[in-house]
Amino acid sequence: MSKESLLPLLARHVLAHGLGQASLRPLAKAAGTSDRMLIYHFGTKEALLADLLGFVAGTYAQALDAALGGERAGTRGQALARILAHAQSEAMQPFMALWWEIVAGAARGLTGFALAAQAIMSELLGWLETQMPERDPDPRGGARYLLALIEGTLMLDAVGHGETAREGLLASGLSPA
Amino acid sequence: MSKESLLPLLARHVLAHGLGQASLRPLAKAAGTSDRMLIYHFGTKEALLADLLGFVAGTYAQALDAALGGERAGTRGQALARILAHAQSEAMQPFMALWWEIVAGAARGLTGFALAAQAIMSELLGWLETQMPERDPDPRGGARYLLALIEGTLMLDAVGHGETAREGLLASGLSPA
DNA sequence: GACGTCTTGTAGCAAGTGCTACGATTAGCT
DNA sequence: AGCTAATCGTAGCACTTGCTACAAGACGTC
């Protein structure tokens, strides 16, 4: 079992159970090894977590490319709707739960978390920029504006204020009225 | 030492060190008691956490009222700037770090976390509604729109994408150009 | 003073934590 | 074949976790 072949299994466990419960022995069982081997491969739990978060960020990038093909949106509102539908889909729910744990770690200054979070946000921002309407007057600023709005919406979703977010988007003038 | 007199001390410790490291013995030491007493008063760590998060939510409500007095903003942009300045202030930094942990817990479905998060968001939303400009065409929707934008901005701040958020706000048309 | 309830200290338990020591197996290279 | 280095299993260590058992003081009520 190589390091690389372990990462997907570890990620699966973390997506399902969260980072808080991610201790070596359960992780090892989920990956079909022993804690001894995890330490052997990664050296330290901290290093394991850093590698794991990097892997998750990479997986997210792939999922984004796969799910949201290339053609440009007609309006900012369409780009917004498209990405919200993706993030709110059933399949992305485990990732979203993990995402807020990554944000919390980044806010506490944990380096591995901050790096993964920045990578994921950069990925999403890059995708948003390619999605901006063809003759948008300010694609760069617009993409960043949408990014803030999207993340705020997803956060409100996560804490049970989804309806609040929906009304906010309606009032933003972006939604297809 | 009553339950109520313990809560501020416990909150201080959690704000400084985070929820992840919040185990009974360190908490007890920070509050000047023993783990035995914490269990005696709260019954369970889970119950302690729920009480503690409720207390933090209440404290946040007070801080909001105290720091951001009553007079209405002239424009949506002013309301936005005002609350962002508050949330990004040095004094609020420990609370913001704790906030993302609360969000992460809520996203994982932990009841105490979800309740506290909803209370805090409702408080902020209520305050935003009182701050909307006098002749705003849609104060209800506008407040919700601002809420999403604010939380997205704060999240990007937390993960080191503060500059991204700033550019997004500039492109929103809300900032005093 | 007697009684029962509330409060608190000291010890400790069973389980889980990250990590290490040591030995056995395997693989690759000469 | 013989040697070296990578890979892995078994035990275990020192420590922390949430929580409990047991007993002693504090305190108001009769």
Side-chain angles (χ1 to χ4, degrees):
Chain A
M1 279 251 187
S2 74
K3 199 158 145 172
E4 282 68 28
S5 71
L6 287 174
L7 283 174
L9 302 169
L10 296 175
R12 217 165 66 103
H13 182 261
V14 159
L15 281 169
H17 300 91
L19 285 171
Q21 315 300 334
S23 41
L24 287 181
R25 281 187 250 275
L27 279 174
K29 181 180 286 185
T33 357
S34 64
D35 56 327
R36 168 71 185 76
M37 280 300 100
L38 293 184
I39 294 296
Y40 174 77
H41 282 304
F42 298 93
T44 282
K45 190 195 175 182
E46 196 181 340
L48 185 156
L49 235 68
D51 275 20
L52 184 50
L53 292 182
F55 174 79
V56 168
T59 303
Y60 173 77
Q62 287 184 356
L64 205 57
D65 282 357
L68 300 163
E71 75 280 17
R72 212 173 266 271
T75 68
R76 288 184 175 185
Q78 279 178 19
L80 177 70
R82 196 174 289 179
I83 209 163
L84 273 182
H86 177 238
Q88 291 168 340
S89 72
E90 201 67 38
M92 286 297 285
Q93 245 28 51
F95 175 81
M96 289 310 298
L98 183 59
W99 168 242
W100 298 113
E101 295 186 289
I102 296 176
V103 171
R108 285 262 169 230
L110 310 179
T111 342
F113 290 67
L115 288 178
Q118 283 174 28
I120 288 174
M121 279 301 96
S122 295
E123 183 71 25
L124 182 50
L125 179 57
W127 183 85
L128 264 172
E129 282 183 329
T130 74
Q131 283 288 308
M132 293 300 285
E134 199 158 3
R135 12 181 148 256
D136 194 282
D138 177 15
R140 176 184 169 90
R144 283 156 177 76
Y145 166 63
L146 286 186
L147 181 61
L149 210 46
I150 287 163
E151 292 299 324
T153 297
L154 293 177
M155 189 276 238
L156 288 171
D157 274 351
V159 302
H161 267 277
E163 187 55 30
T164 302
R166 258 177 33 83
E167 292 184 41
L169 287 183
L170 278 179
S172 73
L174 285 166
S175 295
Chain B
M1 280 251 188
S2 73
K3 198 158 147 173
E4 281 69 28
S5 71
L6 286 175
L7 283 174
L9 301 169
L10 297 175
R12 217 164 65 103
H13 182 262
V14 160
L15 282 169
H17 300 90
L19 284 171
Q21 314 300 334
S23 41
L24 287 181
R25 280 188 251 276
L27 279 174
K29 181 180 286 185
T33 358
S34 65
D35 57 327
R36 170 72 183 76
M37 280 300 100
L38 293 183
I39 294 296
Y40 174 76
H41 282 304
F42 299 93
T44 283
K45 190 194 177 184
E46 194 182 342
L48 185 156
L49 236 68
D51 276 20
L52 185 50
L53 292 182
F55 174 79
V56 168
T59 303
Y60 172 77
Q62 287 183 357
L64 204 58
D65 282 357
L68 300 163
E71 75 278 19
R72 212 172 266 270
T75 67
R76 287 185 176 185
Q78 280 178 19
L80 177 70
R82 197 175 287 179
I83 210 162
L84 274 182
H86 177 238
Q88 292 167 339
S89 72
E90 202 66 38
M92 286 297 286
Q93 245 27 53
F95 176 80
M96 289 310 298
L98 183 59
W99 169 242
W100 298 114
E101 295 186 287
I102 296 176
V103 171
R108 284 264 169 229
L110 311 179
T111 341
F113 289 68
L115 288 178
Q118 282 175 27
I120 288 175
M121 279 301 95
S122 295
E123 183 70 26
L124 182 50
L125 178 57
W127 183 84
L128 264 172
E129 282 183 329
T130 74
Q131 284 288 312
M132 293 299 285
E134 200 158 2
R135 13 185 145 250
D136 194 281
D138 178 13
R140 176 185 171 89
R144 283 157 177 75
Y145 166 62
L146 286 186
L147 182 61
L149 211 46
I150 287 163
E151 292 298 325
T153 297
L154 292 177
M155 189 277 238
L156 289 171
D157 274 351
V159 303
H161 266 279
E163 186 55 31
T164 302
R166 257 176 36 81
E167 292 185 41
L169 287 183
L170 278 179
S172 74
L174 284 166
S175 296

